[in-house]
């Protein structure tokens, strides 16, 4: 099972969700946004796409992500992107297979 995260659930992040919802394999998704409004919209969007929320979690902070993630899609604003990447690097969340 692959662990996939989307950080930033605005319009573009929800488009990524649409694409990921079509994956046939069993995956676990982490959806992150600091905006409660975006989280609510994303939950409704995912429910519409998959009808099942058993294989995903919605959070408002990177702190909730597990240490091993196979894919992270960062769809945040440009101003926050560098800080997000630095936090991810510091926590060593990516599984590069080393």
């Amino acid at each position: 099972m692959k662990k996939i995260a989307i950080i930033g659930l605005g319009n573009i992040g929800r488009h990524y969700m649409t694409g990921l919802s079509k994956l046939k394999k069993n995956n676990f998704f982490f959806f992150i946004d600091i905006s409660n409004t975006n989280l609510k919209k994303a939950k409704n969007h995912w429910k519409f796409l998959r009808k099942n929320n058993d294989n995903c979690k919605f959070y408002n902070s990177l702190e909730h992500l597990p240490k091993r993630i196979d894919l992270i899609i960062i769809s945040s604003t440009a101003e926050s992107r560098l800080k997000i990447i630095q936090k991810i690097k510091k926590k060593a969340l990516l599984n590069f297979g080393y």
Side-chain angles (χ1 to χ4, degrees):
M1 176 183 293
K2 299 289 183 188
K3 295 179 183 176
I4 301 169
I6 298 178
I7 302 169
L9 299 172
N11 290 329
I12 294 172
R14 287 193 302 274
H15 283 294
Y16 281 118
M17 288 177 85
T18 301
L20 291 176
S21 73
K22 297 176 187 328
L23 291 175
K24 303 244 187 264
K25 290 188 176 185
N26 192 17
N27 298 292
F28 197 90
F29 301 97
F30 298 89
F31 302 117
I32 313 289
D33 199 295
I34 60 172
S35 165
N36 288 329
T37 302
N38 284 349
L39 281 173
K40 185 177 179 180
K41 287 179 182 179
K43 284 179 187 178
N44 289 334
H45 186 63
W46 189 253
K47 190 181 284 187
F48 172 76
L49 295 168
R50 292 288 286 253
K51 312 280 189 273
N52 181 353
N53 286 343
D54 292 343
N55 66 335
C56 67
K57 295 286 183 183
F58 292 85
Y59 296 116
N60 63 358
S61 170
L62 290 173
E63 304 304 317
H64 298 287
L65 286 175
K67 293 205 180 280
R68 308 278 295 185
I69 296 285
D70 297 294
L71 173 66
I72 297 178
I73 298 169
I74 302 173
S75 62
S76 66
T77 61
E79 296 86 29
S80 63
R81 203 168 296 133
L82 178 60
K83 287 182 182 180
I84 290 169
I85 292 169
Q86 289 170 335
K87 283 184 182 180
I88 291 168
K89 182 180 174 190
K90 185 176 181 181
K91 290 186 75 166
L93 293 173
L94 293 177
N95 175 8
F96 290 111
Y98 302 137

